[in-house]
């Protein structure tokens, strides 16, 4: 059974293909002139994927990444894209979060875009900052409620989460017990009041938060509780849920912020898994020091086999697990690498 997995990098997007978990190779490498923060494949249509570039909007491939086109070429749309989300009810509906903070919506497969002005009008958003001078405040993730397309959660860096239940006409700030540096939001499709977040640990390092990297809400974001605090790592980015068992989630965590990972021990990272909805977590470090030194910036679950996982390290190394995360092996595939 063939699998195709798309990975963003500092130098474009790569489609990596393998047969029955073996013989992996880079099938295509496109958009090399752009950093691609996020590449999203369309469920059930592996040859079709979208890529969000950090400077030239959203691009589309229909041939496994061999060629790319910009559907809204010559028209207004998002520019410096930091996240992409497909509506789980309709894959033609796409949300793009940008730097500086903005949310764009397309209902026609990225051919045209509408800017959500209401989010920018909020005084808190207008005054948001970012601690790195070369990066502006931005939208890091957008999650769409699996049961209601009008309910969205938007993660800001740095500004917690904003939620709308009316398709963006009005917004509510969700910050009760949550780290302000939210990276990823996951919604439980079996109970959409059950939310999970991966954060950068900004408030923990400043002594303002009880948690470290991961948080959970059981009341649709009204309040948050720390999760996975048994480990020392306080920085996380990837957080993915098993497609048929919402109690199983995977994440990767590291000690300190990315600019600190130049130390001899690197990111001091691990991959973690929960099988009970976040109550307890197991940690995995692969087959040695590489998965500890270099952070897994992305974890992908195979669309054909949910026990088959892929982890892209910031160094460009690619690992896979064929048993739901119990064991990891390095693939003979080298990617350009990722700067966080």
């Amino acid at each position: 059974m063939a699998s195709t997995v798309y990975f963003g990098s500092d130098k474009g997007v790569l489609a990596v293909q393998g047969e029955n978990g073996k013989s992996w190779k880079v099938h295509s490498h496109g958009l090399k002139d752009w950093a691609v923060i996020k590449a999203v494949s369309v469920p059930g249509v592996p040859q079709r994927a979208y890529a969000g570039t950090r400077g030239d909007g959203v691009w589309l491939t229909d041939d496994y990444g061999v060629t790319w086109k910009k559907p809204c070429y010559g028209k207004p749309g998002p520019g410096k894209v930091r996240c992409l989300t497909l509506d789980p009810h309709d894959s033609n509906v796409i949300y793009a979060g940008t730097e500086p903070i903005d949310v764009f919506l397309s209902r026609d497969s990225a051919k045209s875009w509408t800017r959500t002005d209401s989010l920018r009008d909020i005084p808190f958003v207008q005054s948001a900052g970012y601690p790195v001078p070369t990066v502006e405040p931005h939208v890091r993730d957008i999650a769409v409620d699996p049961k209601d397309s009008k309910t969205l959660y938007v993660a800001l860096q740095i500004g917690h989460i904003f939620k709308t239940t009316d398709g963006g006409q009005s917004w509510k700030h969700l910050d009760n017990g949550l780290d302000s540096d939210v990276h990823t939001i996951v919604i439980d499709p079996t109970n959409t009041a059950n939310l999970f977040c991966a954060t950068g640990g900004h408030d923990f390092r400043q002594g303002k938060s009880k948690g470290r990297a991961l948080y959970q809400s059981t009341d649709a974001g009204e309040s948050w509780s720390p999760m996975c605090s048994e480990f020392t790592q306080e920085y996380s980015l990837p957080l993915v849920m098993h497609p048929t068992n919402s109690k199983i989630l995977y994440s990767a965590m590291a000690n300190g912020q990315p600019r600190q990972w130049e130390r001899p021990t690197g990111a001091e990272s691990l991959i973690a898994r929960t099988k009970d909805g976040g109550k307890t977590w197991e940690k995995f470090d692969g087959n040695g020091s590489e998965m500890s030194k270099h952070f897994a910036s992305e974890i992908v679950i195979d669309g054909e086999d949910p026990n088959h996982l892929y982890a892209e390290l910031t160094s460009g190394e690619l690992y896979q697990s064929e048993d739901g995360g119990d064991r990891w092996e390095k693939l003979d595939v080298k990617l350009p690498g990722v700067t966080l």
Side-chain angles (χ1 to χ4, degrees), residues 125-146:
V125 175
Q126 292 179 355
S127 62
Y130 195 78
V132 179
T134 56
V135 179
E136 298 179 80
H138 52 273
V139 175
R140 191 60 180 261
D141 194 25
I142 300 171
V144 183
D145 189 304

PDB file of all heavy atoms in Angstrom, residues 125-146:
ATOM      1  N   VAL A 125      -6.089  42.438  20.288  1.00  0.00           N
ATOM      2  CA  VAL A 125      -5.349  41.939  19.121  1.00  0.00           C
ATOM      3  C   VAL A 125      -4.514  43.056  18.510  1.00  0.00           C
ATOM      4  O   VAL A 125      -3.363  42.847  18.105  1.00  0.00           O
ATOM      5  CB  VAL A 125      -6.322  41.342  18.087  1.00  0.00           C
ATOM      6  CG1 VAL A 125      -5.584  40.937  16.812  1.00  0.00           C
ATOM      7  CG2 VAL A 125      -7.053  40.138  18.688  1.00  0.00           C
ATOM      8  N   GLN A 126      -5.070  44.239  18.443  1.00  0.00           N
ATOM      9  CA  GLN A 126      -4.337  45.373  17.860  1.00  0.00           C
ATOM     10  C   GLN A 126      -3.076  45.704  18.640  1.00  0.00           C
ATOM     11  O   GLN A 126      -2.094  46.198  18.072  1.00  0.00           O
ATOM     12  CB  GLN A 126      -5.254  46.594  17.796  1.00  0.00           C
ATOM     13  CG  GLN A 126      -6.397  46.459  16.812  1.00  0.00           C
ATOM     14  CD  GLN A 126      -7.300  47.683  16.793  1.00  0.00           C
ATOM     15  OE1 GLN A 126      -7.133  48.619  17.588  1.00  0.00           O
ATOM     16  NE2 GLN A 126      -8.262  47.703  15.880  1.00  0.00           N
ATOM     17  N   SER A 127      -3.085  45.422  19.942  1.00  0.00           N
ATOM     18  CA  SER A 127      -1.940  45.765  20.770  1.00  0.00           C
ATOM     19  C   SER A 127      -1.008  44.580  21.035  1.00  0.00           C
ATOM     20  O   SER A 127      -0.030  44.711  21.777  1.00  0.00           O
ATOM     21  CB  SER A 127      -2.426  46.321  22.119  1.00  0.00           C
ATOM     22  OG  SER A 127      -3.174  45.337  22.831  1.00  0.00           O
ATOM     23  N   ALA A 128      -1.293  43.429  20.433  1.00  0.00           N
ATOM     24  CA  ALA A 128      -0.483  42.237  20.683  1.00  0.00           C
ATOM     25  C   ALA A 128       0.944  42.438  20.186  1.00  0.00           C
ATOM     26  O   ALA A 128       1.189  43.094  19.161  1.00  0.00           O
ATOM     27  CB  ALA A 128      -1.109  41.019  20.000  1.00  0.00           C
ATOM     28  N   GLY A 129       1.889  41.858  20.913  1.00  0.00           N
ATOM     29  CA  GLY A 129       3.296  41.930  20.536  1.00  0.00           C
ATOM     30  C   GLY A 129       3.893  40.553  20.408  1.00  0.00           C
ATOM     31  O   GLY A 129       3.223  39.533  20.597  1.00  0.00           O
ATOM     32  N   TYR A 130       5.193  40.529  20.093  1.00  0.00           N
ATOM     33  CA  TYR A 130       5.923  39.268  20.002  1.00  0.00           C
ATOM     34  C   TYR A 130       7.345  39.528  20.459  1.00  0.00           C
ATOM     35  O   TYR A 130       7.948  40.545  20.078  1.00  0.00           O
ATOM     36  CB  TYR A 130       5.899  38.721  18.566  1.00  0.00           C
ATOM     37  CG  TYR A 130       6.309  37.273  18.486  1.00  0.00           C
ATOM     38  CD1 TYR A 130       5.432  36.259  18.843  1.00  0.00           C
ATOM     39  CD2 TYR A 130       7.591  36.915  18.067  1.00  0.00           C
ATOM     40  CE1 TYR A 130       5.806  34.925  18.786  1.00  0.00           C
ATOM     41  CE2 TYR A 130       7.971  35.582  18.012  1.00  0.00           C
ATOM     42  CZ  TYR A 130       7.079  34.594  18.368  1.00  0.00           C
ATOM     43  OH  TYR A 130       7.458  33.277  18.321  1.00  0.00           O
ATOM     44  N   PRO A 131       7.926  38.632  21.284  1.00  0.00           N
ATOM     45  CA  PRO A 131       9.218  38.932  21.910  1.00  0.00           C
ATOM     46  C   PRO A 131      10.432  38.867  20.990  1.00  0.00           C
ATOM     47  O   PRO A 131      11.506  39.314  21.373  1.00  0.00           O
ATOM     48  CB  PRO A 131       9.311  37.866  23.009  1.00  0.00           C
ATOM     49  CG  PRO A 131       8.453  36.743  22.534  1.00  0.00           C
ATOM     50  CD  PRO A 131       7.329  37.387  21.798  1.00  0.00           C
ATOM     51  N   VAL A 132      10.278  38.336  19.787  1.00  0.00           N
ATOM     52  CA  VAL A 132      11.397  38.257  18.840  1.00  0.00           C
ATOM     53  C   VAL A 132      11.235  39.378  17.827  1.00  0.00           C
ATOM     54  O   VAL A 132      10.231  39.429  17.107  1.00  0.00           O
ATOM     55  CB  VAL A 132      11.424  36.888  18.130  1.00  0.00           C
ATOM     56  CG1 VAL A 132      12.585  36.835  17.138  1.00  0.00           C
ATOM     57  CG2 VAL A 132      11.542  35.763  19.156  1.00  0.00           C
ATOM     58  N   PRO A 133      12.192  40.306  17.714  1.00  0.00           N
ATOM     59  CA  PRO A 133      12.002  41.482  16.864  1.00  0.00           C
ATOM     60  C   PRO A 133      11.835  41.174  15.379  1.00  0.00           C
ATOM     61  O   PRO A 133      11.233  41.962  14.655  1.00  0.00           O
ATOM     62  CB  PRO A 133      13.270  42.316  17.113  1.00  0.00           C
ATOM     63  CG  PRO A 133      14.228  41.419  17.789  1.00  0.00           C
ATOM     64  CD  PRO A 133      13.453  40.354  18.473  1.00  0.00           C
ATOM     65  N   THR A 134      12.335  40.037  14.918  1.00  0.00           N
ATOM     66  CA  THR A 134      12.237  39.709  13.487  1.00  0.00           C
ATOM     67  C   THR A 134      10.925  39.006  13.133  1.00  0.00           C
ATOM     68  O   THR A 134      10.697  38.676  11.977  1.00  0.00           O
ATOM     69  CB  THR A 134      13.406  38.817  13.066  1.00  0.00           C
ATOM     70  OG1 THR A 134      13.423  37.651  13.906  1.00  0.00           O
ATOM     71  CG2 THR A 134      14.728  39.570  13.188  1.00  0.00           C
ATOM     72  N   VAL A 135      10.083  38.756  14.137  1.00  0.00           N
ATOM     73  CA  VAL A 135       8.802  38.080  13.914  1.00  0.00           C
ATOM     74  C   VAL A 135       7.688  38.953  14.466  1.00  0.00           C
ATOM     75  O   VAL A 135       7.782  39.472  15.573  1.00  0.00           O
ATOM     76  CB  VAL A 135       8.766  36.696  14.604  1.00  0.00           C
ATOM     77  CG1 VAL A 135       7.413  36.028  14.379  1.00  0.00           C
ATOM     78  CG2 VAL A 135       9.895  35.815  14.089  1.00  0.00           C
ATOM     79  N   GLU A 136       6.615  39.120  13.684  1.00  0.00           N
ATOM     80  CA  GLU A 136       5.459  39.885  14.134  1.00  0.00           C
ATOM     81  C   GLU A 136       4.454  38.966  14.821  1.00  0.00           C
ATOM     82  O   GLU A 136       4.456  37.743  14.595  1.00  0.00           O
ATOM     83  CB  GLU A 136       4.799  40.567  12.938  1.00  0.00           C
ATOM     84  CG  GLU A 136       5.687  41.573  12.223  1.00  0.00           C
ATOM     85  CD  GLU A 136       4.982  42.181  11.030  1.00  0.00           C
ATOM     86  OE1 GLU A 136       4.167  43.097  11.235  1.00  0.00           O
ATOM     87  OE2 GLU A 136       5.238  41.737   9.901  1.00  0.00           O
ATOM     88  N   PRO A 137       3.565  39.492  15.668  1.00  0.00           N
ATOM     89  CA  PRO A 137       2.507  38.659  16.242  1.00  0.00           C
ATOM     90  C   PRO A 137       1.684  38.029  15.126  1.00  0.00           C
ATOM     91  O   PRO A 137       1.446  38.657  14.082  1.00  0.00           O
ATOM     92  CB  PRO A 137       1.683  39.645  17.080  1.00  0.00           C
ATOM     93  CG  PRO A 137       2.044  41.000  16.572  1.00  0.00           C
ATOM     94  CD  PRO A 137       3.454  40.903  16.088  1.00  0.00           C
ATOM     95  N   HIS A 138       1.262  36.782  15.337  1.00  0.00           N
ATOM     96  CA  HIS A 138       0.634  36.056  14.239  1.00  0.00           C
ATOM     97  C   HIS A 138      -0.350  35.010  14.743  1.00  0.00           C
ATOM     98  O   HIS A 138      -0.428  34.712  15.938  1.00  0.00           O
ATOM     99  CB  HIS A 138       1.697  35.374  13.367  1.00  0.00           C
ATOM    100  CG  HIS A 138       2.662  34.529  14.142  1.00  0.00           C
ATOM    101  ND1 HIS A 138       3.810  35.034  14.704  1.00  0.00           N
ATOM    102  CD2 HIS A 138       2.644  33.217  14.474  1.00  0.00           C
ATOM    103  CE1 HIS A 138       4.469  34.073  15.321  1.00  0.00           C
ATOM    104  NE2 HIS A 138       3.773  32.966  15.213  1.00  0.00           N
ATOM    105  N   VAL A 139      -1.095  34.442  13.803  1.00  0.00           N
ATOM    106  CA  VAL A 139      -2.004  33.332  14.080  1.00  0.00           C
ATOM    107  C   VAL A 139      -1.220  32.042  13.880  1.00  0.00           C
ATOM    108  O   VAL A 139      -0.713  31.784  12.789  1.00  0.00           O
ATOM    109  CB  VAL A 139      -3.232  33.364  13.147  1.00  0.00           C
ATOM    110  CG1 VAL A 139      -4.097  32.126  13.369  1.00  0.00           C
ATOM    111  CG2 VAL A 139      -4.047  34.626  13.384  1.00  0.00           C
ATOM    112  N   ARG A 140      -1.130  31.224  14.933  1.00  0.00           N
ATOM    113  CA  ARG A 140      -0.330  30.008  14.850  1.00  0.00           C
ATOM    114  C   ARG A 140      -1.158  28.786  14.482  1.00  0.00           C
ATOM    115  O   ARG A 140      -0.665  27.834  13.901  1.00  0.00           O
ATOM    116  CB  ARG A 140       0.390  29.774  16.181  1.00  0.00           C
ATOM    117  CG  ARG A 140       1.456  28.696  16.146  1.00  0.00           C
ATOM    118  CD  ARG A 140       2.541  29.046  15.142  1.00  0.00           C
ATOM    119  NE  ARG A 140       3.578  28.033  15.074  1.00  0.00           N
ATOM    120  CZ  ARG A 140       4.750  28.120  15.700  1.00  0.00           C
ATOM    121  NH1 ARG A 140       5.023  29.155  16.455  1.00  0.00           N
ATOM    122  NH2 ARG A 140       5.649  27.170  15.560  1.00  0.00           N
ATOM    123  N   ASP A 141      -2.452  28.789  14.819  1.00  0.00           N
ATOM    124  CA  ASP A 141      -3.286  27.636  14.473  1.00  0.00           C
ATOM    125  C   ASP A 141      -4.747  28.053  14.455  1.00  0.00           C
ATOM    126  O   ASP A 141      -5.153  28.998  15.145  1.00  0.00           O
ATOM    127  CB  ASP A 141      -3.087  26.495  15.485  1.00  0.00           C
ATOM    128  CG  ASP A 141      -3.661  25.173  15.000  1.00  0.00           C
ATOM    129  OD1 ASP A 141      -3.773  24.992  13.768  1.00  0.00           O
ATOM    130  OD2 ASP A 141      -3.985  24.314  15.833  1.00  0.00           O
ATOM    131  N   ILE A 142      -5.534  27.337  13.655  1.00  0.00           N
ATOM    132  CA  ILE A 142      -6.980  27.520  13.583  1.00  0.00           C
ATOM    133  C   ILE A 142      -7.617  26.140  13.639  1.00  0.00           C
ATOM    134  O   ILE A 142      -7.232  25.241  12.893  1.00  0.00           O
ATOM    135  CB  ILE A 142      -7.410  28.232  12.290  1.00  0.00           C
ATOM    136  CG1 ILE A 142      -6.777  29.625  12.190  1.00  0.00           C
ATOM    137  CG2 ILE A 142      -8.933  28.332  12.193  1.00  0.00           C
ATOM    138  CD1 ILE A 142      -6.975  30.294  10.837  1.00  0.00           C
ATOM    139  N   ALA A 143      -8.583  25.960  14.537  1.00  0.00           N
ATOM    140  CA  ALA A 143      -9.302  24.688  14.643  1.00  0.00           C
ATOM    141  C   ALA A 143     -10.777  24.928  14.410  1.00  0.00           C
ATOM    142  O   ALA A 143     -11.362  25.871  14.949  1.00  0.00           O
ATOM    143  CB  ALA A 143      -9.074  24.056  16.024  1.00  0.00           C
ATOM    144  N   VAL A 144     -11.381  24.065  13.590  1.00  0.00           N
ATOM    145  CA  VAL A 144     -12.806  24.156  13.270  1.00  0.00           C
ATOM    146  C   VAL A 144     -13.541  23.055  14.013  1.00  0.00           C
ATOM    147  O   VAL A 144     -13.148  21.883  13.972  1.00  0.00           O
ATOM    148  CB  VAL A 144     -13.043  24.005  11.754  1.00  0.00           C
ATOM    149  CG1 VAL A 144     -14.520  24.165  11.422  1.00  0.00           C
ATOM    150  CG2 VAL A 144     -12.210  25.007  10.972  1.00  0.00           C
ATOM    151  N   ASP A 145     -14.612  23.420  14.694  1.00  0.00           N
ATOM    152  CA  ASP A 145     -15.406  22.448  15.428  1.00  0.00           C
ATOM    153  C   ASP A 145     -15.937  21.384  14.459  1.00  0.00           C
ATOM    154  O   ASP A 145     -16.577  21.719  13.453  1.00  0.00           O
ATOM    155  CB  ASP A 145     -16.580  23.153  16.115  1.00  0.00           C
ATOM    156  CG  ASP A 145     -17.325  22.259  17.077  1.00  0.00           C
ATOM    157  OD1 ASP A 145     -17.788  21.186  16.661  1.00  0.00           O
ATOM    158  OD2 ASP A 145     -17.451  22.637  18.263  1.00  0.00           O
ATOM    159  N   PRO A 146     -15.694  20.094  14.720  1.00  0.00           N
ATOM    160  CA  PRO A 146     -16.142  19.038  13.799  1.00  0.00           C
ATOM    161  C   PRO A 146     -17.651  18.925  13.655  1.00  0.00           C
ATOM    162  O   PRO A 146     -18.138  18.297  12.715  1.00  0.00           O
ATOM    163  CB  PRO A 146     -15.559  17.760  14.429  1.00  0.00           C
ATOM    164  CG  PRO A 146     -14.463  18.214  15.312  1.00  0.00           C
ATOM    165  CD  PRO A 146     -14.894  19.553  15.826  1.00  0.00           C
TER     166      PRO A 146
END
